[in-house]
Amino acid sequence: MRGGNPLLGTIRVSGAKNAALPAMAAALLTEEPVILENIPQVQDIETTRKLLAAMGAEVELGYGRAHHRTTLCCRDLIAPEASYELVKTMRASTLVLGPLVARMGRARVSLPGGCAIGARPIDLHIKGLEKLGATIEQEHGYVLAHAKRLRGGEIFFDKITVTGTEDLLMAACLAEGETLMHNCAREPEVADLAALLNKMGAKIEGAGTATIRIQGVEKLHGARHRIIPDRIEAGTFIIAAVLTGGDLNVAGCEPRHLQALLQKLEDVGVKLMPAVDAVRVIGNGELKASDIITEEYPGFPTDMQAQYMALATQASGSSVITENIFENRFMHAQELVRMGADIKVEGRRAIVRGKTPLSAAAVQASDLRASASLVLAALVADGETIIDRVYHIDRGYERIEEKLRGVGAQMRRIGQLFPKRAAATVATV
Ligand code: UD1
């Protein structure tokens, strides 16, 4: 990548990966076809396709200009299993656990194990399923769950978990009787999943709030659903416009889902013009340092923390960034320092002192959002940056280099899209 160009014009946001993944898992709950539109063309979706296909599901991914449509049909499921091979590349694979026990009466799903950004256990998924009457055993690194038919129950999440809420929400739809879940995740992706499930015949109230009530039904049927826009991709493009001093219309997004970020950017001194389904960013003023604390929705998202850190390097003063959700999510800090940033990490806090000019370097992506922060830094760095291990970015950003190039960024991919790990180096002009 070569930095220095302001981003100008219109950039389109894709469908939300984190809404698409549970929606695909929801197709396991019915014998009938589920049609999903606005599915992003990213590696995690491909991993989910493989995961479902290995169970005997028919999955057609139809990427067109107008719709990114997927049709899933889980009529004949042969193996209710998620193997370690797939779970280790994408932790969200554990989203199949609840639907499989609910529909098939059994599931064998690999435990996710360690992760670059923290421990990420699934104890809350397991505890919740037990509350719904499932018997759970663990052996050889796998969770084995059984239940003749799940029955409704009352679940209190000790900690707010997004995929945990989604997993149990799906399971409870086919349980006998009523389930009441407390301290649920309130992310828009949870509400989107509930909207799909209700179209499939489920009876869910309260999704998007902390308490969700589910009246179990015998069967679910097919449905058609459009996935909500990706608020993290939108947020990343907004920061790209700010950093480059551009004038960018981030189109096809849902500004309501971006409130915490937009408010923070106003504190930083950014001029924003939100519309119904777009945000125009005019990024030509001085940026002032401002602190953030990551929190569950509607707080500032942990998935925007790394990108905000790249922005903070260009703001005047000290910004304190506190990461509350994951214990080890500052690996991008060291790479930003190699590009000239002044960042000190103390436990769960990072102190960024700005403004420091960034200079291009060879850097390495460590996880999905960390790689986005390196792309952002490279957009304003002096010279040519090479980002290695960009397979991380392909997990969650659809053709990022094409989209950013379309609004003026100088970047190109070296190697193919979705490359194998060994061949995954990339990006210079
Ligand atoms: C989801 C998102 C991810 C985002 C994260 C937090 C998807 C596919 N991924 O991940 O992009 O960064 O929410 O917004 O939607 N925890 C437990 N026990 C459990 C489950 C979670 O202790 O059983 C802990 C985790 O270690 C973490 C916290 O709860 O510290 C939140 O994790 P969680 O909300 O579950 O994250 P994911 O759903 O995996």
Side-chain angles (χ1 to χ4, degrees), residues 17-18 21-22 91-92 95 117 119-125 159-164 166 187 189 302-303 324-327 329 369:
K17 165 184 88 75
N18 285 356
L21 299 178
R91 248 139 277 275
L95 277 168
I117 63 174
R120 286 184 116 170
I122 57 162
D123 55 311
L124 302 173
H125 300 230
K159 193 171 180 183
I160 298 177
T161 159
V162 178
T163 49
E166 293 165 344
E187 268 67 0
E189 292 77 18
T302 172
D303 284 351
N324 257 336
I325 308 292
F326 293 110
E327 62 267 31
R329 206 174 194 180
R369 306 304 169 186

PDB file of all heavy atoms in Angstrom, residues 17-18 21-22 91-92 95 117 119-125 159-164 166 187 189 302-303 324-327 329 369, ligand 1:
ATOM      1  N   LYS A  17     -20.984  -9.960   8.409  1.00  0.00           N
ATOM      2  CA  LYS A  17     -20.478 -11.313   8.623  1.00  0.00           C
ATOM      3  C   LYS A  17     -21.055 -11.901   9.911  1.00  0.00           C
ATOM      4  O   LYS A  17     -21.499 -13.045   9.938  1.00  0.00           O
ATOM      5  CB  LYS A  17     -18.946 -11.269   8.728  1.00  0.00           C
ATOM      6  CG  LYS A  17     -18.336 -12.523   9.290  1.00  0.00           C
ATOM      7  CD  LYS A  17     -16.849 -12.403   9.462  1.00  0.00           C
ATOM      8  CE  LYS A  17     -16.379 -11.834  10.778  1.00  0.00           C
ATOM      9  NZ  LYS A  17     -16.454 -12.733  11.938  1.00  0.00           N
ATOM     10  N   ASN A  18     -21.058 -11.096  10.979  1.00  0.00           N
ATOM     11  CA  ASN A  18     -21.477 -11.637  12.277  1.00  0.00           C
ATOM     12  C   ASN A  18     -22.986 -11.850  12.386  1.00  0.00           C
ATOM     13  O   ASN A  18     -23.458 -12.446  13.352  1.00  0.00           O
ATOM     14  CB  ASN A  18     -20.994 -10.737  13.418  1.00  0.00           C
ATOM     15  CG  ASN A  18     -19.500 -10.913  13.670  1.00  0.00           C
ATOM     16  OD1 ASN A  18     -18.856 -11.758  13.041  1.00  0.00           O
ATOM     17  ND2 ASN A  18     -18.950 -10.129  14.577  1.00  0.00           N
ATOM     18  N   LEU A  21     -23.292 -15.411   9.826  1.00  0.00           N
ATOM     19  CA  LEU A  21     -22.859 -16.712  10.368  1.00  0.00           C
ATOM     20  C   LEU A  21     -23.972 -17.387  11.184  1.00  0.00           C
ATOM     21  O   LEU A  21     -24.301 -18.545  10.915  1.00  0.00           O
ATOM     22  CB  LEU A  21     -21.580 -16.566  11.209  1.00  0.00           C
ATOM     23  CG  LEU A  21     -20.347 -16.045  10.471  1.00  0.00           C
ATOM     24  CD1 LEU A  21     -19.168 -15.907  11.428  1.00  0.00           C
ATOM     25  CD2 LEU A  21     -19.970 -16.973   9.329  1.00  0.00           C
ATOM     26  N   PRO A  22     -24.588 -16.712  12.166  1.00  0.00           N
ATOM     27  CA  PRO A  22     -25.685 -17.385  12.882  1.00  0.00           C
ATOM     28  C   PRO A  22     -26.885 -17.659  11.973  1.00  0.00           C
ATOM     29  O   PRO A  22     -27.584 -18.660  12.172  1.00  0.00           O
ATOM     30  CB  PRO A  22     -26.048 -16.410  14.009  1.00  0.00           C
ATOM     31  CG  PRO A  22     -25.429 -15.109  13.656  1.00  0.00           C
ATOM     32  CD  PRO A  22     -24.251 -15.414  12.786  1.00  0.00           C
ATOM     33  N   ARG A  91     -13.921 -19.718  15.359  1.00  0.00           N
ATOM     34  CA  ARG A  91     -14.571 -20.069  16.617  1.00  0.00           C
ATOM     35  C   ARG A  91     -16.095 -20.053  16.538  1.00  0.00           C
ATOM     36  O   ARG A  91     -16.781 -20.789  17.228  1.00  0.00           O
ATOM     37  CB  ARG A  91     -14.153 -19.057  17.684  1.00  0.00           C
ATOM     38  CG  ARG A  91     -13.299 -19.625  18.751  1.00  0.00           C
ATOM     39  CD  ARG A  91     -12.200 -18.666  19.106  1.00  0.00           C
ATOM     40  NE  ARG A  91     -11.141 -18.859  18.142  1.00  0.00           N
ATOM     41  CZ  ARG A  91     -10.225 -19.788  18.283  1.00  0.00           C
ATOM     42  NH1 ARG A  91     -10.214 -20.557  19.346  1.00  0.00           N
ATOM     43  NH2 ARG A  91      -9.305 -19.956  17.369  1.00  0.00           N
ATOM     44  N   ALA A  92     -16.621 -19.199  15.638  1.00  0.00           N
ATOM     45  CA  ALA A  92     -18.082 -19.084  15.533  1.00  0.00           C
ATOM     46  C   ALA A  92     -18.716 -20.384  15.050  1.00  0.00           C
ATOM     47  O   ALA A  92     -19.941 -20.510  15.049  1.00  0.00           O
ATOM     48  CB  ALA A  92     -18.451 -17.926  14.606  1.00  0.00           C
ATOM     49  N   LEU A  95     -21.507 -22.098  16.841  1.00  0.00           N
ATOM     50  CA  LEU A  95     -22.918 -21.702  16.671  1.00  0.00           C
ATOM     51  C   LEU A  95     -23.804 -22.845  16.198  1.00  0.00           C
ATOM     52  O   LEU A  95     -25.021 -22.744  16.241  1.00  0.00           O
ATOM     53  CB  LEU A  95     -23.013 -20.583  15.635  1.00  0.00           C
ATOM     54  CG  LEU A  95     -22.749 -19.163  16.115  1.00  0.00           C
ATOM     55  CD1 LEU A  95     -22.587 -18.221  14.935  1.00  0.00           C
ATOM     56  CD2 LEU A  95     -23.894 -18.702  17.020  1.00  0.00           C
ATOM     57  N   ILE A 117      -6.730 -13.529  20.415  1.00  0.00           N
ATOM     58  CA  ILE A 117      -7.156 -12.358  21.192  1.00  0.00           C
ATOM     59  C   ILE A 117      -7.611 -12.677  22.609  1.00  0.00           C
ATOM     60  O   ILE A 117      -8.012 -11.801  23.344  1.00  0.00           O
ATOM     61  CB  ILE A 117      -8.255 -11.555  20.449  1.00  0.00           C
ATOM     62  CG1 ILE A 117      -9.524 -12.384  20.253  1.00  0.00           C
ATOM     63  CG2 ILE A 117      -7.740 -11.025  19.124  1.00  0.00           C
ATOM     64  CD1 ILE A 117     -10.671 -11.572  19.668  1.00  0.00           C
ATOM     65  N   ALA A 119      -8.883 -16.112  25.625  1.00  0.00           N
ATOM     66  CA  ALA A 119      -9.213 -17.525  25.865  1.00  0.00           C
ATOM     67  C   ALA A 119     -10.468 -17.980  25.109  1.00  0.00           C
ATOM     68  O   ALA A 119     -10.499 -19.042  24.519  1.00  0.00           O
ATOM     69  CB  ALA A 119      -9.417 -17.737  27.356  1.00  0.00           C
ATOM     70  N   ARG A 120     -11.475 -17.174  25.102  1.00  0.00           N
ATOM     71  CA  ARG A 120     -12.735 -17.468  24.402  1.00  0.00           C
ATOM     72  C   ARG A 120     -13.330 -18.843  24.673  1.00  0.00           C
ATOM     73  O   ARG A 120     -13.473 -19.681  23.783  1.00  0.00           O
ATOM     74  CB  ARG A 120     -12.554 -17.266  22.905  1.00  0.00           C
ATOM     75  CG  ARG A 120     -12.498 -15.796  22.559  1.00  0.00           C
ATOM     76  CD  ARG A 120     -12.409 -15.577  21.098  1.00  0.00           C
ATOM     77  NE  ARG A 120     -13.565 -14.889  20.585  1.00  0.00           N
ATOM     78  CZ  ARG A 120     -13.639 -14.402  19.354  1.00  0.00           C
ATOM     79  NH1 ARG A 120     -12.669 -14.569  18.520  1.00  0.00           N
ATOM     80  NH2 ARG A 120     -14.707 -13.770  18.961  1.00  0.00           N
ATOM     81  N   PRO A 121     -13.684 -19.103  25.910  1.00  0.00           N
ATOM     82  CA  PRO A 121     -14.307 -20.392  26.242  1.00  0.00           C
ATOM     83  C   PRO A 121     -15.758 -20.457  25.759  1.00  0.00           C
ATOM     84  O   PRO A 121     -16.301 -19.445  25.319  1.00  0.00           O
ATOM     85  CB  PRO A 121     -14.262 -20.401  27.767  1.00  0.00           C
ATOM     86  CG  PRO A 121     -14.261 -18.968  28.163  1.00  0.00           C
ATOM     87  CD  PRO A 121     -13.593 -18.200  27.060  1.00  0.00           C
ATOM     88  N   ILE A 122     -16.376 -21.662  25.839  1.00  0.00           N
ATOM     89  CA  ILE A 122     -17.799 -21.763  25.473  1.00  0.00           C
ATOM     90  C   ILE A 122     -18.620 -22.329  26.639  1.00  0.00           C
ATOM     91  O   ILE A 122     -19.656 -22.941  26.446  1.00  0.00           O
ATOM     92  CB  ILE A 122     -18.026 -22.590  24.190  1.00  0.00           C
ATOM     93  CG1 ILE A 122     -17.451 -24.006  24.307  1.00  0.00           C
ATOM     94  CG2 ILE A 122     -17.460 -21.882  22.984  1.00  0.00           C
ATOM     95  CD1 ILE A 122     -18.027 -24.953  23.258  1.00  0.00           C
ATOM     96  N   ASP A 123     -18.095 -22.112  27.869  1.00  0.00           N
ATOM     97  CA  ASP A 123     -18.779 -22.657  29.047  1.00  0.00           C
ATOM     98  C   ASP A 123     -20.226 -22.152  29.171  1.00  0.00           C
ATOM     99  O   ASP A 123     -21.108 -22.880  29.631  1.00  0.00           O
ATOM    100  CB  ASP A 123     -17.983 -22.305  30.328  1.00  0.00           C
ATOM    101  CG  ASP A 123     -17.727 -20.804  30.458  1.00  0.00           C
ATOM    102  OD1 ASP A 123     -17.272 -20.204  29.464  1.00  0.00           O
ATOM    103  OD2 ASP A 123     -17.992 -20.240  31.523  1.00  0.00           O
ATOM    104  N   LEU A 124     -20.482 -20.922  28.722  1.00  0.00           N
ATOM    105  CA  LEU A 124     -21.839 -20.375  28.879  1.00  0.00           C
ATOM    106  C   LEU A 124     -22.818 -21.014  27.888  1.00  0.00           C
ATOM    107  O   LEU A 124     -23.999 -21.175  28.186  1.00  0.00           O
ATOM    108  CB  LEU A 124     -21.826 -18.845  28.734  1.00  0.00           C
ATOM    109  CG  LEU A 124     -20.911 -18.125  29.741  1.00  0.00           C
ATOM    110  CD1 LEU A 124     -20.823 -16.638  29.432  1.00  0.00           C
ATOM    111  CD2 LEU A 124     -21.401 -18.347  31.172  1.00  0.00           C
ATOM    112  N   HIS A 125     -22.309 -21.405  26.716  1.00  0.00           N
ATOM    113  CA  HIS A 125     -23.160 -22.145  25.762  1.00  0.00           C
ATOM    114  C   HIS A 125     -23.559 -23.483  26.413  1.00  0.00           C
ATOM    115  O   HIS A 125     -24.719 -23.899  26.379  1.00  0.00           O
ATOM    116  CB  HIS A 125     -22.410 -22.487  24.469  1.00  0.00           C
ATOM    117  CG  HIS A 125     -21.877 -21.324  23.689  1.00  0.00           C
ATOM    118  ND1 HIS A 125     -22.104 -21.168  22.346  1.00  0.00           N
ATOM    119  CD2 HIS A 125     -21.106 -20.264  24.046  1.00  0.00           C
ATOM    120  CE1 HIS A 125     -21.494 -20.073  21.903  1.00  0.00           C
ATOM    121  NE2 HIS A 125     -20.873 -19.514  22.925  1.00  0.00           N
ATOM    122  N   LYS A 159     -22.152 -13.749  32.099  1.00  0.00           N
ATOM    123  CA  LYS A 159     -21.413 -12.723  31.376  1.00  0.00           C
ATOM    124  C   LYS A 159     -22.121 -12.563  30.036  1.00  0.00           C
ATOM    125  O   LYS A 159     -22.684 -13.539  29.529  1.00  0.00           O
ATOM    126  CB  LYS A 159     -20.005 -13.293  31.150  1.00  0.00           C
ATOM    127  CG  LYS A 159     -18.992 -12.331  30.714  1.00  0.00           C
ATOM    128  CD  LYS A 159     -17.612 -12.977  30.754  1.00  0.00           C
ATOM    129  CE  LYS A 159     -16.608 -11.937  30.294  1.00  0.00           C
ATOM    130  NZ  LYS A 159     -15.280 -12.458  30.236  1.00  0.00           N
ATOM    131  N   ILE A 160     -22.068 -11.368  29.471  1.00  0.00           N
ATOM    132  CA  ILE A 160     -22.770 -11.181  28.195  1.00  0.00           C
ATOM    133  C   ILE A 160     -21.961 -11.822  27.070  1.00  0.00           C
ATOM    134  O   ILE A 160     -20.772 -11.539  26.924  1.00  0.00           O
ATOM    135  CB  ILE A 160     -22.992  -9.685  27.912  1.00  0.00           C
ATOM    136  CG1 ILE A 160     -23.871  -9.085  29.022  1.00  0.00           C
ATOM    137  CG2 ILE A 160     -23.627  -9.469  26.544  1.00  0.00           C
ATOM    138  CD1 ILE A 160     -24.114  -7.606  28.909  1.00  0.00           C
ATOM    139  N   THR A 161     -22.597 -12.697  26.322  1.00  0.00           N
ATOM    140  CA  THR A 161     -21.920 -13.351  25.203  1.00  0.00           C
ATOM    141  C   THR A 161     -22.797 -13.289  23.955  1.00  0.00           C
ATOM    142  O   THR A 161     -23.981 -13.635  24.007  1.00  0.00           O
ATOM    143  CB  THR A 161     -21.534 -14.817  25.547  1.00  0.00           C
ATOM    144  OG1 THR A 161     -21.349 -15.549  24.316  1.00  0.00           O
ATOM    145  CG2 THR A 161     -22.581 -15.539  26.372  1.00  0.00           C
ATOM    146  N   VAL A 162     -22.187 -12.863  22.854  1.00  0.00           N
ATOM    147  CA  VAL A 162     -22.955 -12.666  21.622  1.00  0.00           C
ATOM    148  C   VAL A 162     -23.336 -14.019  21.010  1.00  0.00           C
ATOM    149  O   VAL A 162     -24.522 -14.345  20.863  1.00  0.00           O
ATOM    150  CB  VAL A 162     -22.162 -11.810  20.600  1.00  0.00           C
ATOM    151  CG1 VAL A 162     -22.953 -11.645  19.311  1.00  0.00           C
ATOM    152  CG2 VAL A 162     -21.826 -10.453  21.196  1.00  0.00           C
ATOM    153  N   THR A 163     -22.324 -14.822  20.667  1.00  0.00           N
ATOM    154  CA  THR A 163     -22.662 -16.108  20.028  1.00  0.00           C
ATOM    155  C   THR A 163     -23.346 -17.049  21.022  1.00  0.00           C
ATOM    156  O   THR A 163     -24.149 -17.886  20.613  1.00  0.00           O
ATOM    157  CB  THR A 163     -21.429 -16.784  19.394  1.00  0.00           C
ATOM    158  OG1 THR A 163     -20.373 -16.791  20.328  1.00  0.00           O
ATOM    159  CG2 THR A 163     -20.994 -16.078  18.135  1.00  0.00           C
ATOM    160  N   GLY A 164     -23.053 -16.895  22.321  1.00  0.00           N
ATOM    161  CA  GLY A 164     -23.749 -17.709  23.326  1.00  0.00           C
ATOM    162  C   GLY A 164     -25.243 -17.403  23.321  1.00  0.00           C
ATOM    163  O   GLY A 164     -26.088 -18.306  23.332  1.00  0.00           O
ATOM    164  N   GLU A 166     -26.914 -16.215  20.831  1.00  0.00           N
ATOM    165  CA  GLU A 166     -27.465 -16.683  19.553  1.00  0.00           C
ATOM    166  C   GLU A 166     -27.646 -18.203  19.534  1.00  0.00           C
ATOM    167  O   GLU A 166     -28.666 -18.723  19.064  1.00  0.00           O
ATOM    168  CB  GLU A 166     -26.540 -16.248  18.410  1.00  0.00           C
ATOM    169  CG  GLU A 166     -26.521 -14.732  18.244  1.00  0.00           C
ATOM    170  CD  GLU A 166     -25.375 -14.198  17.376  1.00  0.00           C
ATOM    171  OE1 GLU A 166     -24.399 -14.949  17.125  1.00  0.00           O
ATOM    172  OE2 GLU A 166     -25.441 -13.042  16.977  1.00  0.00           O
ATOM    173  N   GLU A 187     -26.651  -6.940  20.808  1.00  0.00           N
ATOM    174  CA  GLU A 187     -26.099  -6.576  19.495  1.00  0.00           C
ATOM    175  C   GLU A 187     -27.171  -6.652  18.397  1.00  0.00           C
ATOM    176  O   GLU A 187     -28.045  -7.533  18.455  1.00  0.00           O
ATOM    177  CB  GLU A 187     -24.956  -7.551  19.139  1.00  0.00           C
ATOM    178  CG  GLU A 187     -23.556  -7.116  19.545  1.00  0.00           C
ATOM    179  CD  GLU A 187     -23.298  -7.063  21.047  1.00  0.00           C
ATOM    180  OE1 GLU A 187     -24.206  -7.369  21.849  1.00  0.00           O
ATOM    181  OE2 GLU A 187     -22.179  -6.684  21.432  1.00  0.00           O
ATOM    182  N   GLU A 189     -26.932  -7.899  15.645  1.00  0.00           N
ATOM    183  CA  GLU A 189     -26.855  -9.203  14.972  1.00  0.00           C
ATOM    184  C   GLU A 189     -27.758 -10.222  15.672  1.00  0.00           C
ATOM    185  O   GLU A 189     -28.271 -11.140  15.034  1.00  0.00           O
ATOM    186  CB  GLU A 189     -25.397  -9.702  14.958  1.00  0.00           C
ATOM    187  CG  GLU A 189     -24.456  -8.883  14.063  1.00  0.00           C
ATOM    188  CD  GLU A 189     -24.024  -7.550  14.649  1.00  0.00           C
ATOM    189  OE1 GLU A 189     -24.151  -7.356  15.882  1.00  0.00           O
ATOM    190  OE2 GLU A 189     -23.561  -6.670  13.877  1.00  0.00           O
ATOM    191  N   THR A 302     -15.615  -3.702  20.711  1.00  0.00           N
ATOM    192  CA  THR A 302     -14.236  -4.208  20.720  1.00  0.00           C
ATOM    193  C   THR A 302     -13.741  -4.435  19.297  1.00  0.00           C
ATOM    194  O   THR A 302     -12.550  -4.286  19.016  1.00  0.00           O
ATOM    195  CB  THR A 302     -14.118  -5.510  21.558  1.00  0.00           C
ATOM    196  OG1 THR A 302     -12.810  -6.047  21.381  1.00  0.00           O
ATOM    197  CG2 THR A 302     -15.108  -6.577  21.138  1.00  0.00           C
ATOM    198  N   ASP A 303     -14.650  -4.744  18.378  1.00  0.00           N
ATOM    199  CA  ASP A 303     -14.246  -4.976  16.989  1.00  0.00           C
ATOM    200  C   ASP A 303     -13.842  -3.696  16.255  1.00  0.00           C
ATOM    201  O   ASP A 303     -13.414  -3.754  15.112  1.00  0.00           O
ATOM    202  CB  ASP A 303     -15.373  -5.686  16.212  1.00  0.00           C
ATOM    203  CG  ASP A 303     -15.473  -7.163  16.567  1.00  0.00           C
ATOM    204  OD1 ASP A 303     -14.583  -7.676  17.275  1.00  0.00           O
ATOM    205  OD2 ASP A 303     -16.442  -7.807  16.128  1.00  0.00           O
ATOM    206  N   ASN A 324     -12.081  -4.033  27.370  1.00  0.00           N
ATOM    207  CA  ASN A 324     -12.797  -4.714  28.446  1.00  0.00           C
ATOM    208  C   ASN A 324     -13.272  -6.107  28.079  1.00  0.00           C
ATOM    209  O   ASN A 324     -13.652  -6.874  28.946  1.00  0.00           O
ATOM    210  CB  ASN A 324     -14.086  -3.915  28.728  1.00  0.00           C
ATOM    211  CG  ASN A 324     -13.951  -3.095  29.955  1.00  0.00           C
ATOM    212  OD1 ASN A 324     -13.144  -3.425  30.818  1.00  0.00           O
ATOM    213  ND2 ASN A 324     -14.730  -2.043  30.058  1.00  0.00           N
ATOM    214  N   ILE A 325     -13.346  -6.411  26.785  1.00  0.00           N
ATOM    215  CA  ILE A 325     -14.015  -7.648  26.369  1.00  0.00           C
ATOM    216  C   ILE A 325     -13.028  -8.806  26.235  1.00  0.00           C
ATOM    217  O   ILE A 325     -13.285  -9.910  26.707  1.00  0.00           O
ATOM    218  CB  ILE A 325     -14.785  -7.444  25.040  1.00  0.00           C
ATOM    219  CG1 ILE A 325     -15.708  -6.223  25.132  1.00  0.00           C
ATOM    220  CG2 ILE A 325     -15.572  -8.704  24.659  1.00  0.00           C
ATOM    221  CD1 ILE A 325     -16.886  -6.346  26.077  1.00  0.00           C
ATOM    222  N   PHE A 326     -11.895  -8.565  25.594  1.00  0.00           N
ATOM    223  CA  PHE A 326     -10.904  -9.629  25.416  1.00  0.00           C
ATOM    224  C   PHE A 326      -9.601  -9.249  26.103  1.00  0.00           C
ATOM    225  O   PHE A 326      -9.238  -8.067  26.132  1.00  0.00           O
ATOM    226  CB  PHE A 326     -10.668  -9.906  23.925  1.00  0.00           C
ATOM    227  CG  PHE A 326     -11.880 -10.490  23.245  1.00  0.00           C
ATOM    228  CD1 PHE A 326     -12.598  -9.747  22.323  1.00  0.00           C
ATOM    229  CD2 PHE A 326     -12.332 -11.765  23.556  1.00  0.00           C
ATOM    230  CE1 PHE A 326     -13.725 -10.264  21.711  1.00  0.00           C
ATOM    231  CE2 PHE A 326     -13.460 -12.303  22.953  1.00  0.00           C
ATOM    232  CZ  PHE A 326     -14.157 -11.550  22.028  1.00  0.00           C
ATOM    233  N   GLU A 327      -8.890 -10.249  26.635  1.00  0.00           N
ATOM    234  CA  GLU A 327      -7.721  -9.945  27.465  1.00  0.00           C
ATOM    235  C   GLU A 327      -6.437  -9.689  26.680  1.00  0.00           C
ATOM    236  O   GLU A 327      -5.488  -9.159  27.201  1.00  0.00           O
ATOM    237  CB  GLU A 327      -7.508 -11.041  28.523  1.00  0.00           C
ATOM    238  CG  GLU A 327      -7.220 -12.418  27.997  1.00  0.00           C
ATOM    239  CD  GLU A 327      -8.473 -13.272  27.852  1.00  0.00           C
ATOM    240  OE1 GLU A 327      -9.568 -12.728  27.588  1.00  0.00           O
ATOM    241  OE2 GLU A 327      -8.361 -14.490  27.970  1.00  0.00           O
ATOM    242  N   ARG A 329      -6.016  -8.203  23.269  1.00  0.00           N
ATOM    243  CA  ARG A 329      -6.397  -7.695  21.956  1.00  0.00           C
ATOM    244  C   ARG A 329      -5.632  -6.423  21.577  1.00  0.00           C
ATOM    245  O   ARG A 329      -6.200  -5.499  21.001  1.00  0.00           O
ATOM    246  CB  ARG A 329      -7.907  -7.452  21.909  1.00  0.00           C
ATOM    247  CG  ARG A 329      -8.410  -7.557  20.500  1.00  0.00           C
ATOM    248  CD  ARG A 329      -9.878  -7.485  20.347  1.00  0.00           C
ATOM    249  NE  ARG A 329     -10.217  -7.936  18.992  1.00  0.00           N
ATOM    250  CZ  ARG A 329     -11.445  -8.002  18.520  1.00  0.00           C
ATOM    251  NH1 ARG A 329     -12.461  -7.662  19.256  1.00  0.00           N
ATOM    252  NH2 ARG A 329     -11.661  -8.425  17.282  1.00  0.00           N
ATOM    253  N   ARG A 369      -9.396  -7.839  13.000  1.00  0.00           N
ATOM    254  CA  ARG A 369      -9.514  -6.381  13.144  1.00  0.00           C
ATOM    255  C   ARG A 369      -8.150  -5.717  13.252  1.00  0.00           C
ATOM    256  O   ARG A 369      -7.985  -4.552  12.902  1.00  0.00           O
ATOM    257  CB  ARG A 369     -10.399  -6.037  14.344  1.00  0.00           C
ATOM    258  CG  ARG A 369     -11.759  -6.700  14.302  1.00  0.00           C
ATOM    259  CD  ARG A 369     -12.569  -6.399  13.041  1.00  0.00           C
ATOM    260  NE  ARG A 369     -13.739  -7.270  12.937  1.00  0.00           N
ATOM    261  CZ  ARG A 369     -14.554  -7.319  11.887  1.00  0.00           C
ATOM    262  NH1 ARG A 369     -14.331  -6.573  10.820  1.00  0.00           N
ATOM    263  NH2 ARG A 369     -15.576  -8.130  11.874  1.00  0.00           N
TER     264      ARG A 369
HETATM  265  C1  UD1 B   1     -18.677 -12.106  18.984  1.00  0.00           C
HETATM  266  C2  UD1 B   1     -18.272 -11.616  17.621  1.00  0.00           C
HETATM  267  C3  UD1 B   1     -16.891 -10.976  17.687  1.00  0.00           C
HETATM  268  C4  UD1 B   1     -16.845  -9.893  18.770  1.00  0.00           C
HETATM  269  C5  UD1 B   1     -17.370 -10.432  20.099  1.00  0.00           C
HETATM  270  C6  UD1 B   1     -17.518  -9.346  21.144  1.00  0.00           C
HETATM  271  C7  UD1 B   1     -19.395 -13.167  16.132  1.00  0.00           C
HETATM  272  C8  UD1 B   1     -19.289 -14.294  15.169  1.00  0.00           C
HETATM  273  N1  UD1 B   1     -18.257 -12.743  16.713  1.00  0.00           N
HETATM  274  O1  UD1 B   1     -17.745 -13.108  19.366  1.00  0.00           O
HETATM  275  O2  UD1 B   1     -16.600 -10.399  16.407  1.00  0.00           O
HETATM  276  O3  UD1 B   1     -15.517  -9.465  18.950  1.00  0.00           O
HETATM  277  O4  UD1 B   1     -18.668 -11.031  19.914  1.00  0.00           O
HETATM  278  O5  UD1 B   1     -18.344  -8.340  20.679  1.00  0.00           O
HETATM  279  O6  UD1 B   1     -20.466 -12.636  16.351  1.00  0.00           O
HETATM  280  N2  UD1 B   1     -17.146 -15.799  27.184  1.00  0.00           N
HETATM  281  C9  UD1 B   1     -17.062 -16.712  28.218  1.00  0.00           C
HETATM  282  N3  UD1 B   1     -17.755 -17.890  28.104  1.00  0.00           N
HETATM  283  C10 UD1 B   1     -18.523 -18.204  27.025  1.00  0.00           C
HETATM  284  C11 UD1 B   1     -18.611 -17.262  25.969  1.00  0.00           C
HETATM  285  C12 UD1 B   1     -17.911 -16.073  26.089  1.00  0.00           C
HETATM  286  O7  UD1 B   1     -16.372 -16.478  29.209  1.00  0.00           O
HETATM  287  O8  UD1 B   1     -19.131 -19.286  26.992  1.00  0.00           O
HETATM  288  C13 UD1 B   1     -16.391 -14.527  27.277  1.00  0.00           C
HETATM  289  C14 UD1 B   1     -15.330 -14.367  26.188  1.00  0.00           C
HETATM  290  O9  UD1 B   1     -14.116 -14.990  26.529  1.00  0.00           O
HETATM  291  C15 UD1 B   1     -15.203 -12.863  26.078  1.00  0.00           C
HETATM  292  C16 UD1 B   1     -16.619 -12.369  26.395  1.00  0.00           C
HETATM  293  O10 UD1 B   1     -17.284 -13.464  27.041  1.00  0.00           O
HETATM  294  O11 UD1 B   1     -14.331 -12.361  27.058  1.00  0.00           O
HETATM  295  C17 UD1 B   1     -17.426 -11.976  25.184  1.00  0.00           C
HETATM  296  O12 UD1 B   1     -17.357 -13.009  24.220  1.00  0.00           O
HETATM  297  P1  UD1 B   1     -18.527 -13.290  23.193  1.00  0.00           P
HETATM  298  O13 UD1 B   1     -19.527 -12.190  23.209  1.00  0.00           O
HETATM  299  O14 UD1 B   1     -19.025 -14.682  23.405  1.00  0.00           O
HETATM  300  O15 UD1 B   1     -17.746 -13.252  21.814  1.00  0.00           O
HETATM  301  P2  UD1 B   1     -18.105 -14.111  20.553  1.00  0.00           P
HETATM  302  O16 UD1 B   1     -19.576 -14.362  20.548  1.00  0.00           O
HETATM  303  O17 UD1 B   1     -17.165 -15.248  20.433  1.00  0.00           O
END
